[in-house]
Every structure is written in C-alpha cells, then in structure tokens.
Amino acid sequence: MSTYNFHGNISGPGNYGDNGKIEVHHGQSAADALRLADELVLRLRAESPALAGEAELLRGELVRADEEGRPADRGRLRQWLELISAGATAGSGSVALAQELGRALGM
C-alpha cells in the first residue's frame, strides 16, 4: 500500500473515496433538458420512428418530475438514453442530441 501526500493548495470541488462522483452540468437547467428532450423526440420521429416512443417516455418523465417537484428517475432516463443511443444511426443528429441530453442530466 502506498500513500500520496499532497502539500499544495487545493481549489475546486473535492469528492474523494470509492463512491466519489462529481457532476458538472455546465449551467444547464431543467428547462434546457426539456428543450433537448423535445428536439430529440422531433428528430427521432424523422430519423428513427421506432425509437420515438422511448424519447416520448423520457420527455414525459422530465415533465412529470417537474410538475411533481421531484427529481426525475435517473435509472429510467439512463435506460431510455442507452436504448436510443444504441438504436439510432451512428453519427446522426439523434445520437448527438441523446449524448447532449445525457450531459445536461449529469449522466
């Protein structure tokens, strides 16, 4: 076992340990995430209609969570984003929107 001793100044967030996680949302709000979800639904209807249902479910979860004042179900959101990313055509606008939405949600 080794140790690492740091004697300098530390600036910024520190979240250390086995389960440490730092989320960077780059200032994106719930409204930004909902806007991206709207765009994703429209894009999938045009590019991959078979995946539009997942995008609509994702958008619906964001809307319901906002209306109920609760956090969105991250497990469901992640599952829908993974399905969309796996099923959409590589390099398409749908994949790019799904990735951007995932970043906006901190995933």
Side-chain angles (χ1 to χ4, degrees):
M1 180 174 173
S2 67
T3 60
Y4 180 78
N5 297 316
F6 181 77
H7 299 291
N9 293 327
I10 298 175
S11 61
N15 195 351
Y16 307 102
D18 292 338
N19 297 314
K21 181 177 179 183
I22 298 174
E23 293 184 22
V24 180
H25 298 280
H26 303 291
Q28 292 182 326
S29 65
D32 291 332
L34 189 54
R35 180 187 55 76
L36 289 169
D38 288 338
E39 288 180 38
L40 184 59
V41 169
L42 293 174
R43 180 68 62 110
L44 282 171
R45 283 182 184 159
E47 291 180 357
S48 302
L51 296 171
E54 279 77 12
E56 290 170 359
L57 290 170
L58 186 146
R59 184 190 176 287
E61 172 61 19
L62 292 174
V63 169
R64 280 189 304 282
D66 186 51
E67 289 172 352
E68 296 170 4
R70 63 172 173 82
D73 185 333
R74 295 175 63 81
R76 285 181 160 184
L77 295 176
R78 182 175 291 113
Q79 179 184 14
W80 290 321
L81 284 171
E82 288 173 357
L83 283 170
I84 291 167
S85 295
T89 306
S92 69
S94 300
V95 173
L97 276 171
Q99 291 170 345
E100 182 62 26
L101 181 55
R103 282 190 290 278
L105 295 170
M107 294 183 191

